[in-house]
Short mmCIF file of all heavy atoms in Angstrom, two decimals:
data_model
loop_
_atom_site.label_atom_id
_atom_site.label_comp_id
_atom_site.label_asym_id
_atom_site.label_seq_id
_atom_site.Cartn_x
_atom_site.Cartn_y
_atom_site.Cartn_z
N HIS H 39 210.35 113.18 8.06
CA HIS H 39 210.62 113.32 9.50
C HIS H 39 212.11 113.54 9.69
O HIS H 39 212.90 112.67 9.32
CB HIS H 39 210.18 112.14 10.30
CG HIS H 39 210.55 112.22 11.77
ND1 HIS H 39 209.83 112.90 12.66
CD2 HIS H 39 211.58 111.64 12.43
CE1 HIS H 39 210.39 112.82 13.90
NE2 HIS H 39 211.46 112.08 13.68
N ASP H 41 215.23 114.30 12.43
CA ASP H 41 215.58 114.28 13.87
C ASP H 41 217.17 114.49 13.98
O ASP H 41 217.91 113.56 14.16
CB ASP H 41 215.24 112.89 14.48
CG ASP H 41 215.56 112.92 16.05
OD1 ASP H 41 216.05 113.90 16.58
OD2 ASP H 41 215.43 111.77 16.53
N ASP H 67 204.59 107.66 17.76
CA ASP H 67 204.04 107.08 18.96
C ASP H 67 205.08 107.22 20.01
O ASP H 67 206.25 106.78 19.89
CB ASP H 67 203.63 105.61 18.72
CG ASP H 67 202.90 104.98 19.87
OD1 ASP H 67 203.29 105.22 21.04
OD2 ASP H 67 201.96 104.27 19.64
N PRO H 68 204.66 107.84 21.17
CA PRO H 68 205.74 107.96 22.27
C PRO H 68 206.31 106.67 22.82
O PRO H 68 207.43 106.61 23.37
CB PRO H 68 204.98 108.77 23.31
CG PRO H 68 203.57 108.55 23.01
CD PRO H 68 203.43 108.39 21.51
N ILE H 70 206.96 103.82 20.87
CA ILE H 70 207.86 103.16 20.00
C ILE H 70 208.65 104.10 19.22
O ILE H 70 209.76 103.60 18.68
CB ILE H 70 207.04 102.19 19.07
CG1 ILE H 70 206.01 102.96 18.21
CG2 ILE H 70 206.35 101.11 19.88
CD1 ILE H 70 205.40 102.11 17.16
N GLY H 71 208.27 105.30 18.96
CA GLY H 71 209.00 106.21 18.10
C GLY H 71 208.31 106.56 16.82
O GLY H 71 207.10 106.74 16.84
N VAL H 72 209.06 106.70 15.76
CA VAL H 72 208.45 107.14 14.48
C VAL H 72 208.49 105.97 13.49
O VAL H 72 209.53 105.37 13.25
CB VAL H 72 209.27 108.29 13.86
CG1 VAL H 72 208.61 108.81 12.56
CG2 VAL H 72 209.40 109.49 14.87
N LEU H 126 211.47 101.75 11.77
CA LEU H 126 211.07 102.30 13.08
C LEU H 126 212.23 102.99 13.69
O LEU H 126 213.18 102.28 14.06
CB LEU H 126 210.45 101.19 13.94
CG LEU H 126 210.05 101.56 15.36
CD1 LEU H 126 208.87 102.56 15.38
CD2 LEU H 126 209.68 100.35 16.29
N TRP H 127 212.20 104.27 13.93
CA TRP H 127 213.21 104.99 14.58
C TRP H 127 212.79 105.36 16.02
O TRP H 127 211.72 105.95 16.23
CB TRP H 127 213.49 106.36 13.80
CG TRP H 127 214.32 107.27 14.58
CD1 TRP H 127 214.01 108.54 15.01
CD2 TRP H 127 215.76 107.10 14.87
NE1 TRP H 127 215.06 109.07 15.69
CE2 TRP H 127 216.10 108.33 15.61
CE3 TRP H 127 216.71 106.13 14.70
CZ2 TRP H 127 217.44 108.39 16.12
CZ3 TRP H 127 217.99 106.28 15.21
CH2 TRP H 127 218.32 107.46 15.86
N ASN H 128 213.63 104.92 17.05
CA ASN H 128 213.32 105.25 18.35
C ASN H 128 214.32 106.30 18.80
O ASN H 128 215.47 106.06 19.03
CB ASN H 128 213.50 103.97 19.21
CG ASN H 128 213.04 104.14 20.67
OD1 ASN H 128 213.21 105.19 21.19
ND2 ASN H 128 212.51 103.08 21.19
N PRO H 129 213.81 107.52 19.02
CA PRO H 129 214.69 108.59 19.47
C PRO H 129 215.24 108.50 20.85
O PRO H 129 216.29 109.07 21.25
CB PRO H 129 213.84 109.87 19.32
CG PRO H 129 212.41 109.32 19.50
CD PRO H 129 212.46 107.89 18.81
N GLN H 130 214.55 107.63 21.68
CA GLN H 130 215.00 107.47 22.98
C GLN H 130 216.32 106.60 23.03
O GLN H 130 217.31 106.85 23.75
CB GLN H 130 213.97 106.81 23.86
CG GLN H 130 212.63 107.66 23.95
CD GLN H 130 212.82 108.92 24.56
OE1 GLN H 130 213.66 109.13 25.53
NE2 GLN H 130 212.16 109.94 23.99
N THR H 131 216.27 105.50 22.28
CA THR H 131 217.42 104.60 22.27
C THR H 131 218.34 104.83 21.08
O THR H 131 219.45 104.17 21.04
CB THR H 131 216.89 103.14 22.19
OG1 THR H 131 216.12 102.94 20.95
CG2 THR H 131 216.04 102.77 23.29
N ARG H 132 217.92 105.78 20.23
CA ARG H 132 218.71 106.14 19.04
C ARG H 132 218.96 104.84 18.18
O ARG H 132 220.09 104.62 17.70
CB ARG H 132 220.03 106.82 19.43
CG ARG H 132 219.94 107.99 20.39
CD ARG H 132 219.01 109.01 19.86
NE ARG H 132 219.51 109.79 18.79
CZ ARG H 132 218.89 110.74 18.19
NH1 ARG H 132 217.65 111.05 18.52
NH2 ARG H 132 219.43 111.37 17.07
N SER H 133 217.89 104.15 18.05
CA SER H 133 218.08 102.89 17.31
C SER H 133 217.07 102.83 16.12
O SER H 133 216.03 103.42 16.21
CB SER H 133 217.82 101.68 18.27
OG SER H 133 216.48 101.70 18.73
#
Side-chain angles (χ1 to χ4, degrees):
H39 172 83
D41 183 4
D67 188 315
I70 61 172
V72 184
L126 177 65
W127 168 247
N128 188 326
Q130 302 299 322
T131 60
R132 311 302 292 178
S133 62

